[in-house]
Structures are given as structure tokens and as C-alpha cells.
Amino acid sequence: MVRWLIPVEETRENAGKICGGKASVLGALYREGLTVPAGVCICTAAYETYLDRTGLRGRILLEFSRKTFEEMRWEELWDISEKIKHMFIRTPFPGEMEKELEEGLASYFGRKAVAVRSSAPGEDSAKTSFAGVHASYVNIHGARAILQHLRLVWASLWSDAALLYRKEMGLDILSSAMAVLVQEMVEGRVSGVAFGKNPDNESEAVIEAVYGLNKGLVDGTVEPDRWTLFRQTGNIKNYIPAEREKAVFAVKEGTELKALPEIFQKNPPLTHAEILEIFKLARRTEKLLGDPQDIEWTFRGPTLYILQARPITTFQDRDEKRRWYLSLRRSFENLKGLRKTIEEKYVPAMQAEARELEREKIERLSDSALAGEIERRAEIYRKWYDIYWEEFIPFAHGARLFGKVYNETVNPEDPYEFTDLLSGTEMLSLERNRKLEEISEKLRKSPELMKVIEEHIKADETVPGKENMDEIGIGHEGETGPADTKGIELEEKPEIESEQKAVNELEEEIDLFISRYGGSYSESPGTKKGIYRLLFEIALYPPIHVSAENKSNNRIQHLKEKFLTGFEGKNKQCAAELLDLGRASYRLRDDDNIYLGKIEAELKRVFYEGRKRVIERGSGGVRLPEDQVFYTREFAAELTKTLRDPSYSPEWKKFLQKPKPLREKVKPRQLLGNPSGRGVSEGVARVILKETDIFNLKAGEILVCDAIDPNMTFIVPLCSAIVERRGGMLIHGAIIAREYGIPCITGVPDATELIKSGDYLSVDGYLGIVTVLKRRE
């Protein structure tokens, strides 16, 4: 019979494949006389048995068959990770296995508080650290609770961070396994980490310490005191004190961040003698294990315990993209501060700057002044773009954090049920869509106005070469400038003066709409014409979809109560705060792009003005580049040089993007993606390849695109379904689809290449399957 539980003192250094790196190292240190908390390793055989007996192994393989791992984006990794982790939460142990593990753990620990830590093969080794990647839980009581957290630690093997790390290190993801270390809880008065060798300076060692448990230091919620020591002598070279306002302590269940008593706030957590003792421990572990170590330690009374040791690896974060992605994982306290900064500082400042730019009359500027304005606005846009990525994007983790806590607390059948609780919040895109519907309702009530708009749209569509003229900024009848600036004009006859007045009022309302809600598309040629077409379509075919804010609040209230009942006392208040934070994060995930889009639109405005003037001079018949290259510094430099120097001949050709090769021979019948919006629908595909394509959407069509930008979500109520190449439950298309109850599938590989406008599709938002029922003629 396979042995599932092995005491720490019996683990050997060569037992890494069975007990994992952490348990094996602690076993070796225990036998050398170091003080290690008593514990037991649940070996990898238990993990493998659980996967096989429950059928989880096959279900995990099925999830990874939807898309190759190399093609998955960050959002898709989080989605698949959350789904697999949820499988562990929802899948109980087979009866005999549960009984054997429970009895064994009860005999070792009884009701003692324990820590449940990951100990995966390869973890804490010289080649693969896995530091901070897998889960650990402290202050767990009783065998049943240990088993519950055992599954959570197993599940962390499939976290997005762990998947990224394995990909970076070239490890086989599907063959990974997990051992788990269960140790008696040592409630230290002071805890910390020590580096036997400073990764940045080989002549130094480093010690960091906090009051209470190490959890606060590891997750970044508590700032540590930091000592730098001479590595050869242990003498203190430098000391940086911390603020010492709070610390993490064990409570009845779990841990809590508490304010420190005043006496602790005034005094460093370690004495000089204790610093020297920790330094000696670090050097001793280095001698025993052969390499400088990064160790975790704690003092309980006068006794110094070593909690774990791993070799110091300086190359483990070599992948900058992974490092950036992991930086998005923020603590609750960090997210609360970030929210305050965004809502009170950045959003008002961004809105104010957009309004200031909008008021400027760029048409009156000289060519040289316009060139300077292009450079100025490019810098403004770059400033806000950087803030968006450094501040706004990390705040999106608030919705993810809420989802993680919700799933672990409620254990719902649907791993994405938490998004229903987050939905129904007031988002700018929903407000914008309501406004469009209001304008369309006016058209419905005025057949005369509808007829005028229809004739105008038809006339516009019959102009020879219309699309090409929009692209280069030539209006009707050879006039220069974007074709959407002309407006609708009726013949000057007294009998239609009232109609002209209605048309003028409509045009003013649309101008206000673009000013209030217009995103990056709002300055593109053809935008106003496109909005007229869209309004006409909405007026003819009122959307059948209603946003979640207009639906019954009963389900949302039910989910809220279900979530909060899992907490008591102060924890319930924290849970309510987390829900509020999650909703703010969910809302801003959509709104922030609209705010940034306003700045982007103002940048486009000067580009289009510059482009118009260059065309007026004559560009030698060379077509100017597409919109998407406008933001490159190289193109801005060419445009500004051309405006400042009439004799300068720009090389526009080098900015033109080569078209992607067609894949006409590949005609799959079914495509797989991630189910991101419940429901089933059929309809004609409308593939969006560039901004202005959105205005060609007809009511009831299935929107197929790379990804829905918040600046284009006003077309969503007309769709019968959404298919996106990019993936994720928390990307904009999925969010807005759920708000309207529209079937949505994300992460469909090569969707915009394999599906053509006019194909007749079936979209199953429950299973994530797109079926091409009929190819276009």
C-alpha cells in the first residue's frame, strides 16, 4: 500500500519527487539538530491518487485542449487557472482516501493549530525556486480543515503564477505534482526572513523582521525592519527602520492585521543578540546545504525556529513580462489605497485634461504651431497611457481577488458566479448605451426624420470611392477634411423648415454625445456618419437585450447574502469592503478605457488636422497610413517635420502595415473558446477588423473581433452574440455581454481569420463552442 503521510524527521534529501523540496530540506536540517516545527508531509502519491480516482486529471486535460498554452494571454491564464482551482474546491476526496488521511492527520495534530504549506517537487531548489507562487495557509485547526486546505494548496499548482513560472522554466505543466507540508503552528512574537548572501552584493547578508507572523511580510502588507550585515563577520553595516504601525497575528480562525501596541511601535523587533543568532543560523544552513540560503524564521520566546530554507536564486525573475504580470497581484490593503488614488486623483485629472484639450481650436493654429501641438499631445497621451498601465491595470486585480475569496467561501457550482454579484454596477458604457437608445426613440417617433436620415445614409453610401476618401480625409465633392464634418442639410424650402430644425437638433445631440462619451474612435473619419447609421439601425430594430441594472435585484441580493453569511464579526465587515472594492474594480475595468479614450481622441484630432493639411499640399499620390500607426513616435516625427518644412518629403510607405496572409483554405466547422457569457444564439457573422467596421453592424448579427474595446461597446445591444479572439471572463467584451445577457465566447484562436463576415454561426456560451453552420456565398 502506498504511504501517503511521512513525518518530517523521516524525509530525506533525495526524496524530492515524493515529498517536495521544502519538506526534504527541513527533514535534513532537523537531523542536523536545527529547531524545526514538528510536521508531516502529505506526499505526491496522495495528489496523484486524488486526481485519478476523482477523474480530475481528464477534466484538466480537457481545459488545456481548448487552446495551446503558448497562445494564451494573461487573462486566459487566469480564467483557466480559476476554473481548474475551482474543480479542486468542488471535488471531495474519495471516501476511503478521506478516511485514511483524516485519521492519520488527527493522530499527528489533534486540534493543534497548524500551517499547511506547498512542497512541490523542484520547489525551493537551486534551479527552480517557485518562491511566492504556491499557496500556504496558517492557523488551521482539525483534520477536516486541514484536508479542505490541502485541496487549496494542490489547486495552487494550477494558479496563473505557477503556470507562467513553469512555462518560463520549460517544465511540463501537465505532469506536475504537489506534495504538502503540514507543520505545527509556531506563533512567533517576531518573524522574518534572512538572506545568507545579498543577491545584489555578495559581501553582505540581509535580515528583515516584523512583529507577529511572517504572513504580513511575505504578502507585502507589513513593512519590515531591515538590517544589512557584513557577510564575513555578521557586523551590522546598515539599518533601515520600518513605520511599525501594524502586524499580522493569529486569531480564532486564520489571521488578522492588527494595530501594534505603542511599545512595539517605538522599538525594533530584534535585539543585537537576536540579529547575530539569525545570522549564524543563515550561515549554518548554508554550510549544511552547500549554497547561500533564503530562510524563513520565527522566535517563540527565546527559541529560534527555522520554518523553511531555499537556495538564493538571482535569475528566477528573468522574464520581465511574467514579473510585470505578477506585480498586478495586489493585497487588499494595497488595492484600497490604489482605489483612493485612482478615484480621487487620476480620474478627475484625466477628465479635466481631456476637457482642456477639447476646448482648444486647433484649426486656427499655424502649421508650425500644430506640429508643436502634436508633440505636446503625444506626450500627454503617453503620460496617461503609462499611468493607465501602472495604476489602473493593477486595480483590476480587485475583481480577481474578490472572485478568489468568493469561490473559496461560497464554493458555488459555477466558478464565475461571482461576476453576477459584481455586475449591475453603473458603468459609463451602460450610461452611454442608454443615451443612444433615447436618441433612437426620438427617431422612432418621427417618421419624417427617419426618412431624412435614411436618404442621407443611402446617398452617403453611393458616393463613388467613399471608403477610400474617408481613409485619406477627403469629403464629398472634393472638399478636404474628414467626411463626417459636413452634417445633414435639407433643401431650403419653407415647408421643411421644421424638419431642418429637428435635424439640426439631432446633430447637436450627436455632437454632445460624441463629446461626452466619444472614445478613441470619435475623431476618426466617418464616425458621425457611422453613428447616424447605428442610430437608424437601433431605431428600426430596438435591442432585445436589457442591461443587468434594469433586471431584478433579487439574484444579486441573494448572492450577496450567500457570500456574507460565510463570515462573522470583523471578518464580515472586511468581506463587505472586499465586495465594494471588487465592484469598483469591475466598473473601472470598463470605465478606465473610456477615460483614456478621450485623451486618445484629442491626440487623434491633431493628427487628423495635420494629415488633412499634408493632403492639401499634395502627397504625391501616396496613401497615408492607417489609424493604428498614428501613435508611433516615428510617424509623429514625420508628420511634424512635414508641417514645419514644406520642402520635406515624408516616406509614408515605411509606415504601411503589410496585410496578413489569407487563410481561405482553412474552413473549420467548430471552434473552441472559453464560455464567458451564458446563452445560445444563431446569426450572421460580422467580423470587425478596424475601428470603422463597427458601424456596419446590423441588428441580430454575431459580433466577431479580436477584442471588444470599451470605446466600441455601444454596439453590443444590437448583437445576438459575441466571439472574441482574446480571452478572459474579465475582459471588456465578456463584462458587457453579461450585463446584457448576451452569449459570449472568448479566447477563440484566430477567430477573425477563420470566420468571415456573412458566415452563419451558432454560438454556445455555456460550452464555449462556435459552429459555422453555413459559409457565406
Side-chain angles (χ1 to χ4, degrees):
M1 183 176 178
V2 177
R3 190 182 182 189
W4 287 335
L5 302 180
I6 301 175
V8 169
E9 59 268 24
E10 296 182 22
T11 62
R12 304 289 172 181
E13 278 190 83
N14 61 356
K17 291 184 178 180
I18 299 172
C19 297
K22 190 177 282 126
S24 301
V25 166
L26 288 179
L29 295 178
Y30 175 89
R31 290 190 296 277
E32 293 293 338
L34 274 68
T35 306
V36 176
V40 63
C41 176
I42 304 173
C43 65
T44 54
Y47 172 83
E48 302 284 4
T49 302
Y50 172 76
L51 286 191
D52 291 333
R53 290 188 184 177
T54 59
L56 268 185
R57 193 184 302 278
R59 292 168 64 191
I60 290 171
L61 285 171
L62 180 63
E63 290 302 323
F64 276 97
S65 70
R66 294 178 185 272
K67 196 173 189 178
T68 60
F69 186 78
E70 289 69 28
E71 292 180 344
M72 290 185 188
R73 290 174 54 88
W74 313 112
E75 306 99 322
E76 295 170 90
L77 276 177
W78 186 82
D79 269 16
I80 196 171
S81 164
E82 203 59 31
K83 192 178 294 184
I84 293 173
K85 287 191 295 179
H86 191 66
M87 292 178 188
F88 282 86
I89 296 173
R90 293 281 300 177
T91 305
F93 287 95
E96 292 182 3
M97 183 181 189
E98 182 176 38
K99 182 180 177 182
E100 184 176 337
L101 286 173
E102 187 174 347
E103 289 177 352
L105 291 167
S107 68
Y108 277 109
F109 302 108
R111 292 293 300 175
K112 290 180 182 177
V114 300
V116 184
R117 305 177 187 274
S118 64
S119 184
E123 186 173 357
D124 293 348
S125 69
K127 293 183 178 180
T128 53
S129 164
F130 286 93
V133 169
H134 298 132
S136 294
Y137 297 89
V138 298
N139 201 24
I140 309 302
H141 298 264
R144 280 193 173 277
I146 294 174
L147 289 182
Q148 177 187 349
H149 288 84
L150 168 63
R151 296 208 308 271
L152 292 175
V153 176
W154 280 347
S156 72
L157 185 69
W158 302 95
S159 72
D160 48 347
L163 293 173
L164 280 169
Y165 190 85
R166 284 179 173 80
K167 177 183 176 184
E168 177 190 336
M169 300 306 296
L171 302 176
D172 184 356
I173 292 167
L174 295 176
S175 65
S176 300
M178 173 71 80
V180 176
L181 180 62
V182 184
Q183 292 176 286
E184 286 187 18
M185 178 84 172
V186 179
E187 285 191 51
R189 60 177 175 83
V190 176
S191 306
V193 298
F195 294 86
K197 181 171 68 175
N198 186 346
D200 299 322
N201 188 331
E202 293 188 358
S203 68
E204 299 173 347
V206 176
I207 295 173
E208 294 181 339
V210 296
Y211 282 108
L213 303 180
N214 241 346
K215 184 176 184 296
L217 186 156
V218 173
D219 66 19
T221 56
V222 179
E223 180 189 359
D225 284 61
R226 178 185 175 95
W227 291 266
T228 303
L229 294 80
F230 290 101
R231 181 168 149 76
Q232 295 302 318
T233 64
N235 293 331
I236 296 173
K237 179 180 181 180
N238 186 35
Y239 168 54
I240 302 175
E243 293 290 335
R244 291 194 294 272
E245 295 177 349
K246 296 181 179 180
V248 174
F249 296 98
V251 292
K252 184 178 179 181
E253 295 291 339
T255 61
E256 187 176 323
L257 184 67
K258 296 182 178 180
L260 275 173
E262 188 175 349
I263 188 171
F264 290 151
Q265 293 183 25
K266 292 181 178 180
N267 295 295
L270 295 174
T271 65
H272 187 275
E274 290 169 337
I275 293 170
L276 186 59
E277 187 176 356
I278 295 167
F279 172 74
K280 290 179 178 178
L281 176 65
R283 293 306 302 267
R284 187 178 177 191
T285 57
E286 177 181 342
K287 184 177 180 181
L288 292 172
L289 299 174
D291 295 295
Q293 299 291 304
D294 162 12
I295 66 172
E296 267 189 53
W297 53 266
T298 191
F299 273 105
R300 182 165 66 184
T303 305
L304 176 60
Y305 288 80
I306 184 167
L307 304 178
Q308 69 178 53
R310 65 168 67 92
I312 296 171
T313 51
T314 57
F315 63 92
Q316 63 192 21
D317 282 336
R318 63 191 174 190
D319 188 315
E320 300 232 353
K321 289 185 176 179
R322 183 179 73 88
R323 220 171 35 238
W324 169 81
Y325 179 69
L326 295 182
S327 75
L328 304 183
R329 301 159 64 90
R330 304 296 180 93
S331 68
F332 181 45
E333 294 297 321
N334 180 279
L335 287 167
K336 286 200 295 186
L338 197 55
R339 177 185 181 181
K340 183 179 176 69
T341 301
I342 290 172
E343 291 182 345
E344 297 181 8
K345 177 183 176 182
Y346 289 130
V347 169
M350 189 184 292
Q351 289 176 311
E353 188 140 39
R355 286 193 297 269
E356 181 182 337
L357 294 174
E358 188 179 14
R359 284 193 293 265
E360 294 178 6
K361 305 295 184 183
I362 59 171
E363 299 82 3
R364 301 175 182 175
L365 298 176
S366 66
D367 286 358
S368 178
L370 180 63
E373 186 64 14
I374 290 172
E375 293 170 338
R376 185 177 81 91
R377 292 193 180 207
E379 288 305 312
I380 290 173
Y381 175 73
R382 174 54 56 184
K383 175 190 72 174
W384 285 113
Y385 181 85
D386 290 343
I387 290 173
Y388 169 80
W389 281 97
E390 292 168 8
E391 307 287 348
F392 287 66
I393 289 294
F395 186 61
H397 185 62
R400 295 182 177 186
L401 178 62
F402 174 76
K404 176 179 180 293
V405 174
Y406 184 91
N407 285 342
E408 292 181 3
T409 304
V410 176
N411 190 18
E413 184 176 348
D414 179 1
Y416 303 125
E417 181 179 274
F418 74 92
T419 60
D420 291 343
L421 182 49
L422 296 181
S423 67
T425 60
E426 180 59 41
M427 293 189 290
L428 282 177
S429 56
L430 299 181
E431 180 185 308
R432 176 180 58 192
N433 291 2
R434 283 198 306 272
K435 186 61 181 175
L436 269 180
E437 175 56 29
E438 288 175 14
I439 299 173
S440 296
E441 182 63 24
K442 293 180 181 179
L443 291 182
R444 288 189 205 110
K445 293 178 179 180
S446 175
E448 297 83 4
L449 195 54
M450 282 283 284
K451 185 178 180 181
V452 171
I453 301 285
E454 182 180 18
E455 290 175 354
H456 183 69
I457 292 172
K458 287 181 176 178
D460 184 53
E461 290 172 347
T462 57
V463 176
K466 166 67 173 59
E467 289 187 8
N468 186 54
M469 286 190 287
D470 262 0
E471 189 176 334
I472 63 171
I474 303 295
H476 294 180
E477 298 178 359
E479 70 199 34
T480 56
D484 61 13
T485 61
K486 179 83 173 151
I488 302 172
E489 292 185 10
L490 305 178
E491 296 178 43
E492 296 183 7
K493 296 180 179 180
E495 61 268 22
I496 56 173
E497 284 185 2
S498 60
E499 291 181 17
Q500 181 65 66
K501 181 180 178 183
V503 168
N504 292 341
E505 289 175 353
L506 175 65
E507 189 161 359
E508 288 177 9
E509 198 163 7
I510 291 175
D511 286 338
L512 287 173
F513 174 86
I514 293 175
S515 177
R516 171 75 175 88
Y517 302 108
S520 60
Y521 66 87
S522 62
E523 292 300 327
S524 301
T527 291
K528 190 180 292 186
K529 300 289 187 185
I531 290 180
Y532 276 122
R533 289 196 292 270
L534 181 64
L535 285 169
F536 186 75
E537 190 73 14
I538 296 174
L540 284 177
Y541 307 100
I544 60 172
H545 304 291
V546 180
S547 64
E549 61 183 339
N550 293 326
K551 297 178 181 178
S552 170
N553 287 323
N554 291 343
R555 174 166 170 76
I556 293 176
Q557 185 59 33
H558 168 69
L559 294 178
K560 179 179 179 181
E561 290 173 0
K562 187 163 72 168
F563 172 61
L564 294 179
T565 51
F567 302 89
E568 296 179 355
K570 289 183 178 179
N571 287 338
K572 178 169 283 192
Q573 177 60 35
C574 287
E577 291 179 10
L578 178 59
L579 171 58
D580 182 61
L581 181 86
R583 284 176 167 167
S585 170
Y586 190 79
R587 179 179 63 249
L588 192 71
R589 184 74 184 97
D590 200 65
D591 289 355
D592 57 11
N593 277 259
I594 295 178
Y595 295 132
L596 183 63
K598 292 284 287 179
I599 301 289
E600 186 179 351
E602 289 304 316
L603 173 60
K604 275 191 171 184
R605 188 155 69 97
V606 289
F607 270 124
Y608 281 121
E609 177 65 23
R611 186 174 77 164
K612 184 186 78 171
R613 297 187 188 186
V614 170
I615 290 170
E616 288 173 348
R617 292 181 183 176
S619 56
V622 178
R623 184 169 66 90
L624 291 185
E626 300 285 351
D627 297 350
Q628 55 263 40
V629 300
F630 276 9
Y631 314 113
T632 63
R633 297 180 190 276
E634 294 81 4
F635 180 76
E638 287 291 289
L639 186 56
T640 53
K641 285 178 185 176
T642 307
L643 288 169
R644 286 182 172 131
D645 183 1
S647 64
Y648 183 73
S649 299
E651 297 181 25
W652 299 125
K653 285 185 178 179
K654 66 182 179 182
F655 297 107
L656 297 178
Q657 297 181 345
K658 295 181 180 179
K660 292 183 179 180
L662 296 177
R663 301 176 59 172
E664 289 292 344
K665 293 182 180 180
V666 181
K667 294 182 178 180
R669 176 171 166 74
Q670 282 195 335
L671 301 171
L672 286 177
N674 299 313
S676 302
R678 304 182 192 95
V680 178
S681 182
E682 290 185 9
V684 175
R686 173 64 63 182
V687 181
I688 305 298
L689 298 176
K690 60 181 185 296
E691 279 183 346
T692 51
D693 288 345
I694 62 178
F695 299 116
N696 296 323
L697 183 80
K698 303 296 182 184
E701 290 184 329
I702 293 174
L703 176 61
V704 181
C705 60
D706 185 70
I708 289 182
D709 185 280
N711 292 306
M712 57 188 277
T713 51
F714 57 85
I715 63 173
V716 167
L718 281 174
C719 306
S720 61
I722 295 172
V723 177
E724 297 184 78
R725 182 189 66 82
R726 285 168 48 183
M729 283 294 287
L730 294 176
I731 67 171
H732 311 292
I735 289 174
I736 200 71
R738 288 191 298 272
E739 289 292 332
Y740 286 96
I742 298 173
C744 178
I745 301 177
T746 61
V748 179
D750 301 318
T752 56
E753 295 179 46
L754 300 178
I755 300 172
K756 306 298 180 184
S757 288
D759 289 349
Y760 193 79
L761 311 178
S762 169
V763 175
D764 188 332
Y766 295 103
L767 299 177
I769 299 175
V770 182
T771 305
V772 182
L773 299 176
K774 184 179 180 182
R775 291 283 172 184
R776 71 179 181 187
E777 293 297 333

